[in-house]
Amino acid sequence: MFVPSLALGLAGGIWLIVTVPPLLPHPALSQLMMTLLAVPAVAAAVLAAFASQGFVLETRGEVRSGEVTRVIEHQGKTTSYECVIRYHAVTEAPGTLNCGKSDHVGATVQVAWDPDGLVEPDFAEAKGTYRFFAILAMVSEIALVILGELTVAMGVVLRAAHRVSAARGPGTADGPEAAVGR
């Protein structure tokens, strides 16, 4: 489920880099709009991945109760944690899963996993949590569309203003050089 989000995000990023700079004539404005467009684009891709994982776990996943028996800390560029789970009944549930710094030994947890392995296992959350991520992803997409339209409109207005200024020419009373001679 993460691969389609990554592919769409990569395609959108390439589109952003290729289309925005030629659209806006001023480099500073172009960089500002690229930054403003990149934020909702990345947010939408990440939130869509979380939403799809939650959806799969809620619709196809199995949930088992267990206890955290060990928290393993992995050091690297960032610190990550892995929880070892012991279940209350015999099950094929995953024995370890990614967890956070706040998870501790002895905690009772609910683990959701997809028996077909489409998504990574996770702690079972309240029903409908994926809907929250899906709504945030949609809001990010709407913001991206609005900012994209704003970028296009600014490009059209700035180019039209540049054409009008160039059509007036340097020798006319309205041209930029007219103000210098006064």
Side-chain angles (χ1 to χ4, degrees):
M1 291 297 174
F2 182 70
V3 174
S5 294
L6 185 63
L8 287 173
L10 184 60
I14 292 169
W15 170 85
L16 189 68
I17 292 168
V18 170
T19 59
V20 171
L23 185 64
L24 296 171
H26 302 294
L29 184 58
S30 177
Q31 285 185 333
L32 173 67
M33 291 314 294
M34 281 182 55
T35 302
L36 289 176
L37 286 165
V39 170
V42 169
V46 170
L47 292 168
F50 285 143
S52 62
Q53 178 184 8
F55 177 75
V56 168
L57 289 177
E58 188 172 312
T59 57
R60 300 171 32 106
E62 295 185 23
V63 178
R64 295 289 185 267
S65 179
E67 181 180 328
V68 176
T69 59
R70 192 168 137 202
V71 178
I72 303 167
E73 183 176 329
H74 298 284
Q75 295 288 337
K77 288 185 178 182
T78 61
T79 302
S80 62
Y81 299 90
E82 182 180 12
C83 286
V84 177
I85 310 294
R86 183 181 66 225
Y87 294 95
H88 299 295
V90 176
T91 183
E92 294 178 19
T96 64
L97 67 143
N98 295 330
C99 57
K101 185 177 183 176
S102 62
D103 293 309
H104 59 280
V105 174
T108 301
V109 295
Q110 298 288 321
V111 176
W113 83 98
D114 177 31
D116 293 336
L118 289 177
V119 295
E120 292 291 319
D122 201 358
F123 292 110
E125 297 180 18
K127 289 255 186 218
T129 302
Y130 75 89
R131 288 182 186 100
F132 172 73
F133 290 118
I135 290 169
L136 287 179
M138 285 187 283
V139 167
S140 296
E141 286 291 334
I142 291 168
L144 183 60
V145 168
I146 291 170
L147 286 171
E149 293 295 325
L150 178 65
T151 302
V152 169
M154 282 191 320
V156 167
V157 168
L158 290 173
R159 288 192 184 279
H162 185 273
R163 275 192 219 122
V164 168
S165 176
R168 288 185 180 158
T172 62
D174 293 338
E177 286 78 13
V180 175
R182 290 186 190 165

